[in-house]
Amino acid sequence: MYGFENNPWRCWERTTLAGVLNGPENLLVRLAVYDRRTRIYQSEFRWPALVRLGFNDFAGRYAQIVLRFGEARFSFEACNDGNRTYLIVRCLDAERADELELRLEILYLRDDGGQIVARENEVLARRHGRAWRLWSPSPVAHRVGSALTSPMQRT
């Protein structure tokens, strides 16, 4: 039997297949892609961008999907380990991703007391005495506003 009390994060939120939603808090962490050459930015990935719908554990322990941005394909994975949720983005077409930049964005879907705070190389979401921290272990990742950004292809 599966329980939901330990992991409120679920895939996929209705506006994007590349995101996880904390339903009780209406807090969304989504992946956006930006092409520095064409200046095209996309933060909502829906069915036309779908390459393959992977495994999605009902209890929220693991989910995986393959999506397309232009000609580049990437894998978006979410997994839960106790109190932590990890997001993994892997480029599947390195030769087509030279100018692409990944952006992890965190936002509340309703304006009901939540606050997004950017500090140094992390972003915090706070609401009703609880907080969630968005950060990246990648040395090339950095914070821009309230998003974390890094190149899709690492050289």
Side-chain angles (χ1 to χ4, degrees):
M1 182 166 166
Y2 294 108
F4 293 113
E5 63 277 355
N6 293 330
N7 182 19
W9 295 94
R10 297 286 172 263
C11 299
W12 318 110
E13 198 275 327
R14 65 178 177 79
T15 62
T16 186
L17 295 170
V20 292
L21 176 69
N22 179 323
E25 299 294 332
N26 283 305
L27 181 63
L28 175 66
V29 177
R30 69 180 176 196
L31 176 71
V33 180
Y34 176 68
D35 187 323
R36 292 184 303 260
R37 185 180 52 78
T38 64
R39 296 186 177 185
I40 294 174
Y41 166 84
Q42 184 173 342
S43 64
E44 294 180 354
F45 292 88
R46 302 198 186 191
W47 299 113
L50 179 65
V51 175
R52 185 177 73 80
L53 192 58
F55 185 74
N56 189 354
D57 176 31
F58 183 70
R61 289 183 297 240
Y62 179 79
Q64 190 268 344
I65 193 166
V66 176
L67 297 166
R68 177 182 298 108
F69 177 81
E71 295 297 316
R73 294 173 305 131
F74 62 93
S75 171
F76 178 84
E77 298 171 71
C79 62
N80 180 31
D81 181 25
N83 291 329
R84 293 184 180 214
T85 299
Y86 298 94
L87 303 178
I88 303 163
V89 181
R90 292 182 293 133
C91 179
L92 302 177
D93 297 308
E95 67 280 357
R96 296 180 177 153
D98 284 342
E99 297 295 322
L100 300 184
E101 184 177 275
L102 301 174
R103 295 182 179 181
L104 272 180
E105 303 171 338
I106 187 166
L107 58 135
Y108 284 99
L109 296 179
R110 286 193 315 244
D111 185 17
D112 57 356
Q115 179 184 35
I116 304 295
V117 178
R119 54 181 219 192
E120 298 191 23
N121 286 325
E122 65 184 14
V123 180
L124 297 175
R126 296 179 183 160
R127 182 170 178 242
H128 303 303
R130 298 192 62 191
W132 294 269
R133 180 174 70 119
L134 180 64
W135 62 279
S136 174
S138 171
V140 297
H142 60 282
R143 184 185 57 77
V144 175
S146 62
L148 296 180
T149 185
S150 71
M152 183 178 283
Q153 178 187 359
R154 297 189 185 132
T155 55

